[in-house]
Amino acid sequence: MSKVDETRKFWSDKFDEFDSSGNGQLTIVELRDALKGMGANLSDAEIASMFSDIDADESKSISKDEFIRQMTKKNRQDAFKEFFAENDTDGSGSLTADEIRKFADKDSGASVEDILKQCDVNSDGKITLDEFLARIDG
């Protein structure tokens, strides 16, 4: 099983655990109970905000697909943040053309210029973490 499949299965199992009614949808009460059961100390407003972020179709319930999509997005962003940090060898908070060249040639086959054109929103010749994540999520 691939890492992606393992992650999806983990969140699918968590959803089933949280879905106390067993109807395939999480209500805000089920989400609140699950979070509190895990020791989260969140206000009702924070829980409501989280619920609304996950409830993409604004149906007032969270489907398994919505839940898994949001949870794996977080995991994917964390992985990309780690990749960015590993390649930001000078610790400047942005990827320079030289830093991009080190991974572009071996990992992506894309040229430095192509990567900069796609990600460097402000055209300053380097890619910040925000620019990088925006392109990945876009």
Side-chain angles (χ1 to χ4, degrees):
M1 182 180 289
S2 75
K3 184 73 173 159
V4 171
D5 290 338
E6 287 176 20
T7 301
R8 288 185 60 77
K9 175 153 181 22
F10 172 83
W11 288 115
S12 176
D13 292 347
K14 281 294 178 193
F15 180 91
D16 293 341
E17 186 181 313
F18 298 162
D19 180 18
S20 59
S21 67
N23 69 351
Q25 300 286 320
L26 288 183
T27 64
I28 195 165
V29 171
E30 288 172 319
L31 181 63
R32 182 200 67 209
D33 292 348
L35 291 168
K36 293 199 186 256
M38 294 180 346
N41 188 20
L42 301 171
S43 70
D44 287 345
E46 290 169 318
I47 292 169
S49 175
M50 179 184 293
F51 185 88
S52 126
D53 287 345
I54 299 170
D55 182 22
D57 66 2
E58 299 178 356
S59 64
K60 305 293 184 218
S61 65
I62 299 170
S63 70
K64 186 181 273 194
D65 285 342
E66 287 173 322
F67 182 78
I68 291 171
R69 190 176 312 115
Q70 187 67 23
M71 297 302 106
T72 55
K73 177 180 179 181
K74 169 97 173 90
N75 289 347
R76 189 177 72 238
Q77 282 184 335
D78 289 346
F80 282 118
K81 285 177 184 177
E82 185 177 318
F83 174 85
F84 186 93
E86 287 172 3
N87 287 284
D88 180 18
T89 55
D90 66 4
S92 66
S94 59
L95 298 177
T96 63
D98 287 339
E99 289 168 327
I100 295 166
R101 188 170 291 107
K102 290 177 185 170
F103 70 82
D105 294 336
K106 66 178 180 185
D107 292 339
S108 71
S111 72
V112 173
E113 294 75 21
D114 288 341
I115 294 171
L116 282 170
K117 185 190 296 185
Q118 291 177 6
C119 298
D120 184 17
V121 176
N122 64 0
S123 300
D124 64 355
K126 52 192 173 192
I127 302 170
T128 65
L129 178 59
D130 288 342
E131 288 173 323
F132 186 69
L133 292 176
R135 178 64 184 142
I136 298 302
D137 288 337

